[in-house]
Amino acid sequence: LQGRQGRQTLICSGTRLPEQAKESAGYVIVFDDASELIKAQRDAAWGDVARRLAHEIKNPLGGIRGAAQLLERELPSADLKEYTNIIIEEADRLRDLVDRLLGPRQIPKQEQVNIHEVLERVCQLIDVESGGRINIERDYDPSIPELEADKGQLIQALLNICRNAMQAMLEAQPPLAQPQLSLRTRTVRQFTIGHQRHRLVAQIDISDNGPGIPEELRENLFYPMVSGRADGTGLGLSISQSIINQKNGIIEFVSDASKTVFSIYLPLE
């Protein structure tokens, strides 16, 4: 079913009503939205595959790196050692890539965090990285209370989304007359995430006026290695989702040819 919030999967069940005198029997048909359940099962399955794959990759990488170090000690020429350095550096690069694939490994440092301080830090980084070419618009709700989170991880999660938006706008063809990134915060009451209803949730909207997300990428956008850029790793959104999920939050998005909006929902209880 193509609904207002995108493609949804429904489970249909029906029950025949008992026949009444002089009346024909009827049916009761119930539709249940199974989209979240299917998505959770798919994400869990991918997470298990990623962990197994990372383990299988890191073990031989350690052996390759160790062998290269031993070989380097035996080589008589500095020119030959250049090649073993390449092996070691590439093994380290692949190890870091696998670590990023698995998401944050450190135990989160929980503290009271002001979401607007986090967003301002992200704005500062985007402004520097873009060379001031991005116009950043803010629309903050100052009444949002502090939430308990790892500030560094939260900055990383929101920065990954903003950085993707920045890159999409700066690389748009034809070039945008004025790339604009908009950050908006609001509170939402009685909001359901998964199967849990939360009394109060912070909603963070990150929107850009770039060319939009290609249709063929949207369904699997949060999977690792899915990227619309030739030199992209496709890990940024996967890591962001992992961090937000650790806070029992969710990330949603809508996109068309002239605008993309990512909405992050974080419980405030």
Side-chain angles (χ1 to χ4, degrees):
L1 174 67
Q2 190 69 30
R4 185 175 56 185
Q5 298 180 341
R7 189 174 181 84
Q8 294 174 281
T9 303
L10 304 180
I11 297 177
C12 175
S13 59
T15 302
R16 184 184 178 92
L17 295 173
E19 295 187 10
Q20 303 292 332
K22 300 181 181 181
E23 294 183 8
S24 59
Y27 294 85
V28 172
I29 300 176
V30 178
F31 291 92
D32 290 317
D33 186 355
S35 305
E36 288 294 330
L37 176 61
I38 292 174
K39 181 178 181 298
Q41 291 174 337
R42 184 176 58 192
D43 291 346
W46 169 252
D48 184 57
V49 170
R51 284 187 293 272
R52 292 173 184 271
L53 181 61
H55 179 73
E56 295 299 322
I57 292 174
K58 290 183 74 172
N59 278 347
L61 278 180
I64 292 170
R65 190 184 195 283
Q69 287 177 313
L70 292 174
L71 179 61
E72 185 178 46
R73 297 174 188 172
E74 303 298 325
L75 292 176
S77 168
D79 292 338
L80 294 176
K81 291 183 179 181
E82 179 181 348
Y83 297 108
T84 55
N85 284 336
I86 291 174
I87 296 173
I88 293 170
E89 290 172 1
E90 286 301 291
D92 289 342
R93 184 182 66 82
L94 289 174
R95 181 201 61 207
D96 292 342
L97 184 65
V98 171
D99 287 340
R100 290 169 60 196
L101 174 67
L102 293 175
R105 300 173 63 192
Q106 300 85 3
I107 297 175
K109 179 185 176 183
Q110 301 295 337
E111 57 183 319
Q112 292 299 309
V113 175
N114 185 312
I115 191 62
H116 300 126
E117 289 182 3
V118 169
L119 289 171
E120 283 304 299
R121 176 60 173 164
V122 170
C123 289
Q124 183 183 39
L125 294 171
I126 291 296
D127 187 56
V128 171
E129 290 184 22
S130 67
R133 290 177 290 169
I134 301 290
N135 180 46
I136 303 177
E137 182 182 76
R138 302 161 175 84
D139 180 8
Y140 295 160
D141 178 358
S143 70
I144 296 179
E146 292 186 338
L147 67 153
E148 190 173 283
D150 184 304
K151 188 174 183 178
Q153 288 189 3
L154 201 52
I155 289 173
Q156 188 63 56
L158 300 179
L159 177 61
N160 289 347
I161 297 172
C162 290
R163 184 176 283 146
N164 280 0
M166 175 193 72
Q167 292 168 343
M169 290 187 288
L170 294 182
E171 297 173 5
Q173 294 296 330
L176 298 176
Q178 179 56 71
Q180 179 158 313
L181 181 69
S182 298
L183 306 178
R184 178 179 181 271
T185 62
R186 292 292 186 271
T187 55
V188 183
R189 297 185 181 277
Q190 302 303 323
F191 188 82
T192 300
I193 299 176
H195 297 290
Q196 184 173 356
R197 193 165 186 81
H198 298 275
R199 183 179 59 83
L200 190 65
V201 169
Q203 177 180 344
I204 306 156
D205 293 332
I206 300 172
S207 60
D208 67 77
N209 63 341
I213 300 168
E215 184 71 36
E216 65 272 14
L217 296 182
R218 295 179 188 178
E219 186 173 349
N220 300 319
L221 189 63
F222 292 99
Y223 285 4
M225 306 303 179
V226 175
S227 175
R229 305 175 67 240
D231 59 348
T233 63
L235 296 178
L237 289 179
S238 175
I239 291 172
S240 292
Q241 186 184 54
S242 175
I243 293 172
I244 298 302
N245 285 350
Q246 285 181 13
K247 290 302 303 170
N248 298 317
I250 58 169
I251 306 177
E252 298 177 344
F253 73 92
V254 292
S255 182
D256 58 34
S258 62
K259 185 178 183 181
T260 298
V261 181
F262 278 84
S263 296
I264 300 95
Y265 298 91
L266 290 169
L268 291 170
E269 290 92 343

